Amino acid sequence: MLVDRTVLPKIGYMYGFTTAKGQRAAVVAHRDGRRDLVLFDHSAPDRTRHTVALTGAEPGTVAQLLGSPVVVDHVEDLTRDLADAQAPRLQAVRIPIPATSPFAGRSLGDLGARTGACVVAVLREDRTVTAPPATFVLRHGDAVVAVGDASALAAVRDLLTRD
């Protein structure tokens, strides 16, 4: 399961995910340390059905029970000032390379032009490799920063994170 991390200005972060059965849920991590588990209405995925407030050690316990997800960071939308409202919106995401990734140990060139997205940087340990060449070899623990439209970024995410 992939988790999308979205910045909620003045609130904190929302970590959203969708189950295999299409159910949508999220954890809202407030800046003051509070955590809320939010369940969305199945028929209207943007409408909250129920919220569970977690306090103290409860968030950590729930996280351990659920296991470690792959978290994809959404960077603020990159908009294009075009007259055509149908033009695709560019987005930038940060996609971590899990140990199970088929691309751990492979070069960016292997990712190739299959996705339509552009890898603009790779985050490795405490450094950032900007404009990495096609020969750059990915490792578990790296994070790829990619730019593209929603479908191109979904393709990159699928290739980098599938088991």
Side-chain angles (χ1 to χ4, degrees):
M1 174 185 327
L2 293 176
V3 176
D4 293 323
R5 180 168 69 173
T6 305
V7 175
L8 301 174
K10 298 185 181 180
I11 295 172
Y13 293 95
M14 180 174 71
Y15 298 87
F17 56 93
T18 303
T19 68
K21 292 186 178 183
Q23 297 168 307
R24 191 93 180 110
V27 172
V28 176
H30 296 265
R31 291 167 57 178
D32 64 5
R34 291 181 302 130
R35 301 288 188 267
D36 295 327
L37 177 61
V38 181
L39 304 175
F40 294 96
D41 189 323
H42 187 62
S43 61
D46 292 334
R47 186 174 37 209
T48 301
R49 185 177 69 191
H50 192 72
T51 300
V52 177
L54 302 172
T55 60
E58 294 169 343
T61 302
V62 171
Q64 288 176 352
L65 291 171
L66 296 176
S68 299
V70 173
V71 178
V72 177
D73 288 327
H74 284 267
V75 179
E76 198 172 315
D77 283 346
L78 305 172
T79 58
R80 295 171 54 170
D81 186 18
L82 298 175
D84 181 8
Q86 298 300 321
R89 290 178 60 120
L90 291 178
Q91 300 173 12
V93 296
R94 177 185 168 273
I95 305 170
I97 307 295
T100 58
S101 174
F103 278 86
R106 292 175 60 186
S107 70
L108 282 174
D110 290 343
L111 194 58
R114 296 187 265 181
T115 65
C118 180
V119 174
V120 296
V122 175
L123 309 174
R124 176 172 288 165
E125 297 166 357
D126 61 346
R127 64 188 175 112
T128 301
V129 179
T130 56
T135 56
F136 187 89
V137 176
L138 295 171
R139 291 191 243 165
H140 160 66
D142 288 350
V144 169
V145 178
V147 175
D149 64 20
S151 64
L153 295 175
V156 170
R157 183 180 309 125
D158 290 344
L159 285 172
L160 293 177
T161 60
R162 79 174 107 137
D163 295 1

